[in-house]
Amino acid sequence: MSSSYSFLVLLLVISAVVLASADYKPANYNDVNDDDNQVPSSQEYKQNKPQSGNPTDENEDDEDEGLINVGIDHRPWTSMLSEPSLQSYLSNGYYQKSCPSLEEIIHKKVAAWIKKDATIAASILRLHFHDCAIRGCDGSILLSHPGSEKDADASKTLRGFELIDEIKEEVEEKCPKTVSCADILTAAARDATVAIGVPFWEVPYGRKDGLVSIAKEADYAVPKGRESVTTLIEFFQSIGLNLIDLVVLSGAHTIGKCNCGVIQDRLYNYQGTGKADPTIDVKYLNFLKRKCKRASEYVELDGETPTTFDSMYYTNLQINKGLLKSDQLLNSDSRTSGLVDAMANQPEWLFLQQFSVSMVKLGNTQVLTGKKEGEIRTKCSSINSANY
């Protein structure tokens, strides 16, 4: 085992151990909701952040922040690990007084839906990712009007809107005009993920709902399964995530299904050759051709353990059984192959723990928190001005 590989594994192990043993709260999180002392907006944070010379400034221009804040100001060895941006200003106890039954409501609804349809877990996870991918985690994917993100081609196969609406309806009955749809979707994604085997994590709350939702933005930005690794890295960096987040969150493809239309070119006309992608394992290729005779069909993202949230996704990549081209490229690109190898060959808990860490960071992506940012929708599918 190379020294660089061993060091990478050590970083991941430390990150997972710290998460498992600590009550995880990024710096500057508040524990209570105080309307008179509302968390500042991201713009207000920029205006009031520590001045130059403060030890906390030393790495302020780094693209990748540390994974876990444990009271250490300057941790160069953790610069490649995941931590929610301090600009989030969210709080684990945000609804402790204003809606104490929130998490119970969400948990029961998600559990009931998963009991009826286990595949809804992957769908809620994907819905959350699509929401955070455009304008941050602001519930904009839930807006339903002509030209909204929900109308985009990239959103055609999204599911789970009805579950979020059902949760919102009950929450409004118990805590009217209090809880955002963005917070509900983030917590529902957590509960859905935990239900299929990922370690529990605390969801910090306080997101506001966005007022803008544009289909063209979703079609332009959301990954479609054919991107190069460079394109994926640039996309993840644009929303505040790093290389580890990219590889770890891609591991969500260990469950769920994909529309066969996404891989038709790999099966029948790769790069205009009229032939299949030569990198696909031959037996797997034959299996896919049987499953995807029509573009409208669906096929499991993980052909080995499609209903189990595990690290088999990474093993599949190493034997050329990655379904999406962008997934398979993670194994051959020097920037990501080491992480794929680590996830495939280390104890499974390492992947599961790191997945929960990256999900925390995803959920804090470019959130709206200030008094003048967004709103608390009373109905997730429309902004408040359309509800009165």
Side-chain angles (χ1 to χ4, degrees):
M1 181 182 291
S2 68
S3 59
S4 61
Y5 175 82
S6 300
F7 183 63
L8 174 62
V9 172
L10 176 62
L11 294 182
L12 291 170
V13 169
I14 291 174
S15 75
V17 170
V18 173
L19 175 69
S21 62
D23 182 14
Y24 175 61
K25 294 181 183 179
N28 290 331
Y29 275 19
N30 300 311
D31 285 326
V32 296
N33 178 22
D34 183 352
D35 291 336
D36 294 327
N37 188 27
Q38 179 104 16
V39 291
S41 66
S42 57
Q43 183 61 38
E44 291 169 334
Y45 170 81
K46 292 175 184 177
Q47 294 173 350
N48 295 290
K49 68 181 181 179
Q51 298 299 310
S52 177
N54 188 312
T56 60
D57 285 342
E58 292 184 19
N59 288 329
E60 69 179 16
D61 293 328
D62 287 354
E63 290 180 344
D64 298 331
E65 298 178 86
L67 171 64
I68 304 296
N69 187 326
V70 289
I72 303 174
D73 291 325
H74 185 46
R75 298 149 294 154
W77 64 267
T78 59
S79 63
M80 64 186 298
L81 298 175
S82 312
E83 177 181 8
S85 167
L86 300 185
Q87 296 182 26
S88 297
Y89 278 95
L90 303 175
S91 165
N92 290 340
Y94 192 82
Y95 298 116
Q96 186 173 350
K97 295 180 179 179
S98 59
C99 195
S101 60
L102 173 63
E103 293 214 330
E104 181 182 2
I105 294 171
I106 295 174
H107 175 74
K108 287 183 177 179
K109 289 291 185 182
V110 170
W113 274 64
I114 291 178
K115 186 176 181 179
K116 292 185 295 182
D117 176 12
T119 67
I120 198 66
S123 298
I124 293 298
L125 181 56
R126 183 171 176 236
L127 186 63
H128 177 53
F129 178 81
H130 275 243
D131 182 43
C132 298
I134 309 299
R135 296 178 175 267
C137 306
D138 65 349
S140 56
I141 189 63
L142 305 173
L143 289 172
S144 182
H145 58 74
S148 69
E149 292 170 29
K150 189 177 179 181
D151 259 3
D153 290 339
S155 306
K156 295 299 184 185
T157 57
L158 292 179
R159 302 168 58 226
F161 296 98
E162 296 83 359
L163 169 56
I164 302 304
D165 288 340
E166 191 173 298
I167 294 172
K168 177 63 171 175
E169 184 176 351
E170 183 169 343
V171 169
E172 281 298 308
E173 291 178 0
K174 300 287 180 62
C175 319
K177 301 179 181 181
T178 301
V179 181
S180 70
C181 298
D183 276 344
I184 289 174
L185 177 54
T186 302
R190 185 272 311 276
D191 283 2
T193 308
V194 170
I196 53 179
V198 176
F200 178 87
W201 69 89
E202 293 285 350
V203 171
Y205 295 110
R207 299 163 189 79
K208 296 292 185 63
D209 294 321
L211 304 175
V212 179
S213 183
I214 303 172
K216 289 182 179 180
E217 293 183 350
D219 283 330
Y220 175 78
V222 175
K224 301 171 180 62
R226 303 185 183 95
E227 292 78 10
S228 67
V229 174
T230 295
T231 298
L232 291 177
I233 291 174
E234 290 174 348
F235 167 73
F236 271 69
Q237 287 180 339
S238 74
I239 61 174
L241 304 180
N242 62 29
L243 199 64
I244 288 181
D245 300 317
L246 164 59
V247 176
V248 170
L249 292 177
S250 293
H253 291 165
T254 188
I255 57 170
K257 296 183 178 183
C258 173
N259 185 273
C260 288
V262 175
I263 60 169
Q264 288 293 293
D265 60 329
R266 290 196 78 196
L267 303 183
Y268 302 107
N269 190 29
Y270 184 65
Q271 295 183 343
T273 62
K275 299 179 181 180
D277 182 347
T279 64
I280 304 177
D281 174 82
V282 175
K283 290 184 178 179
Y284 187 49
L285 174 62
N286 293 333
F287 166 78
L288 292 176
K289 285 185 173 180
R290 291 194 301 270
K291 291 281 289 186
C292 290
K293 292 180 179 179
R294 291 184 294 273
S296 59
E297 300 288 343
Y298 284 83
V299 63
E300 290 80 8
L301 285 159
D302 178 350
E304 300 296 325
T305 56
T307 60
T308 304
F309 202 98
D310 55 22
S311 59
M312 181 59 69
Y313 162 82
Y314 301 102
T315 302
N316 289 340
L317 298 186
Q318 293 187 315
I319 56 176
N320 294 319
K321 290 186 177 181
L323 181 67
L324 303 177
K325 183 62 177 178
S326 57
D327 283 345
Q328 190 59 58
L329 288 173
L330 294 177
N331 186 61
S332 58
D333 191 288
S334 61
R335 294 167 292 182
T336 52
S337 58
L339 283 164
V340 170
D341 198 32
M343 294 300 169
N345 293 296
Q346 294 304 308
E348 195 159 284
W349 64 264
L350 176 64
F351 161 59
L352 297 177
Q353 288 283 9
Q354 185 61 38
F355 190 85
S356 63
V357 171
S358 291
M359 282 295 291
V360 172
K361 189 173 181 183
L362 173 66
N364 296 334
T365 298
Q366 300 171 333
V367 294
L368 305 176
T369 58
K371 290 183 178 180
K372 297 181 180 180
E373 293 184 316
E375 65 180 8
I376 304 297
R377 288 185 217 141
T378 57
K379 186 177 181 182
C380 291
S381 59
S382 57
I383 60 176
N384 288 340
S385 61
N387 295 329
Y388 297 102

